[in-house]
Amino acid sequence: MKSINPACKCIGLLAVTFYLALVHRTLLNLTVFAICLFLLAFSGINRKHFCQAMIPVLLMAAGTFFTGYRFQSGAGMPVSDKSFLLADNDIYNGLVLSSRVLVFTGLGLLLVLTTDKIQMIQSMNQQLKLPPVFAYGLIAAWGIVPSMFREYRQTRAAFQARGIRVFYVSPKLLKPLLVKSARWAEAISVAMESKGFDGSAPRTVYRPVPLRRKDIIFPLVSCGIVAVLTLWL
């Protein structure tokens, strides 16, 4: 999965996500989620990050199941009394809702954990014709994020050294962070303009992101697998 072109991977997974958002089939959702887990297992991802991400997701899925189980057969629920397939309507309604949480999370993690963020932006710029102003702006913003975390920790440590207690989202912490982030963004903008950056001028590509036959086939295969599973299940 890591070798697939990020733009094509994003298109294929988004197409599957939009389709699953329109249907309410528990077995289909769980099957697609299992396929996502299988692909993640053989993609060389950071398993620690995967487990950390799945803990709140499993808790959310369990809570969603009991919500659907308790409040079922309502006018606004996705499952009515005439559409249950497993056992009681309340059980099926809970399974539908919880399986949707799992499948959307699986598709999202499959994209996030197997895709380099910078390469994703570069692919969107080269294959999807994202304007260079937005592409380079996103790359610059992504580069500022580590500095923002470092500045937040330093400011919080300074308050602790003075014996002042502040909340994690206190304005005393966020206000100086916001000011410095704006200054960093302005400095990057000035530096790019001083180097002759012009978003409207034609540009060459220093790091081309390859577009191969398997990359083009991936969205078609993804949609085809889901279509076959829909007919089979």
Side-chain angles (χ1 to χ4, degrees), residues 35-48:
I35 294 175
C36 292
L37 294 182
F38 177 80
L39 294 175
L40 286 170
F42 293 95
S43 296
I45 64 171
N46 190 321
R47 298 187 177 182
K48 180 180 179 181

Side-chain angles (χ1 to χ4, degrees), residues 1-2 25 60 65 75-76 80 82 96 103 119 125-126 129 151 156 162 166 173 185 188-189 207 209 218:
M1 289 297 295
K2 289 185 176 181
R25 301 181 61 175
M60 186 184 302
F65 169 79
S80 62
K82 300 179 181 179
V96 167
V103 71
Q119 192 178 31
N125 174 233
Q126 298 174 29
K129 304 304 179 182
E151 181 65 26
R156 192 160 180 265
R162 296 166 56 189
V166 290
L173 291 175
I188 292 176
S189 177
R207 293 182 179 178
V209 180
F218 177 79

Side-chain angles (χ1 to χ4, degrees), residues 91-154:
I91 296 177
Y92 182 69
N93 194 79
L95 289 174
V96 167
L97 297 179
S98 60
S99 64
R100 287 167 69 85
V101 173
L102 294 176
V103 71
F104 293 148
T105 301
L107 292 169
L109 291 178
L110 188 60
L111 176 63
V112 172
L113 297 181
T114 62
T115 306
D116 181 77
K117 282 72 177 177
I118 303 300
Q119 192 178 31
M120 176 71 181
I121 299 173
Q122 293 173 341
S123 178
M124 293 175 65
N125 174 233
Q126 298 174 29
Q127 275 80 51
L128 301 183
K129 304 304 179 182
L130 181 71
V133 173
F134 291 99
Y136 284 89
L138 290 173
I139 294 176
W142 185 257
I144 292 177
V145 170
S147 300
M148 295 177 64
F149 281 110
R150 183 174 60 253
E151 181 65 26
Y152 176 84
R153 290 193 296 265
Q154 290 177 353

